[in-house]
Amino acid sequence: MSLQELYRQVILDHYRNPRHRAPLSDPDVSSEGANPLCGDEVKVDLRLRDDRISGIAVTGKGCSISQSSASLMSEAVSGNAVSEALGLSRRFQELMHVPADSSENGFSDLGDLLALSGVRRYPVRIKCATLSWVTLEQALGEPGMPGTAEDPG
Ligand code: ZN
């Protein structure tokens, strides 16, 4: 199996069997994000204990990239310290903004999130992949990337 095929399988698996979909009964913080270009919507609910993400629920609708990315994000940050989750978010958004033909070798810390590295070849889809991360940052009170998840409508 080629690396590209492996990545495709990971994305399909998360799209078909999204993780952390069950709603949280008493989230401490929530945020909603939208990518009007593609019609993607993501809602992130978090339960925070001692500066850690002790519970996460991600719901939404949209294309396979946005929804699989949201599932991958939920799995990657669940149980993390808030600072770790924000660091991972920065790293993922860095990956999305390095040229598509450059190697992702320097990003091995991203683990399964690398499955989305092929999205870089389709610049219009990068916002699909980053939507859930920007929404996570908003929920945590971080400003996020400018103009990405703020939908005035
Ligand atoms: Zn999309």
Side-chain angles (χ1 to χ4, degrees), residues 28-96:
D28 294 307
V29 292
S30 297
S31 189
E32 288 178 49
N35 174 17
L37 285 174
C38 185
D40 305 319
E41 295 174 16
V42 168
K43 180 166 186 279
V44 176
D45 292 331
L46 301 174
R47 197 177 298 136
L48 303 172
R49 293 289 178 272
D50 302 326
D51 256 354
R52 257 178 203 281
I53 297 174
S54 65
I56 181 168
V58 180
T59 51
K61 58 181 183 178
C63 69
S64 59
I65 293 171
S66 68
Q67 301 306 306
S68 61
S69 178
S71 174
L72 280 156
M73 181 277 284
S74 71
E75 200 169 64
V77 304
S78 176
N80 277 14
V82 166
S83 59
E84 289 172 337
L86 290 172
L88 207 53
S89 182
R90 292 285 141 77
R91 289 286 288 157
F92 181 72
Q93 292 181 58
E94 261 175 61
L95 170 68
M96 285 295 116

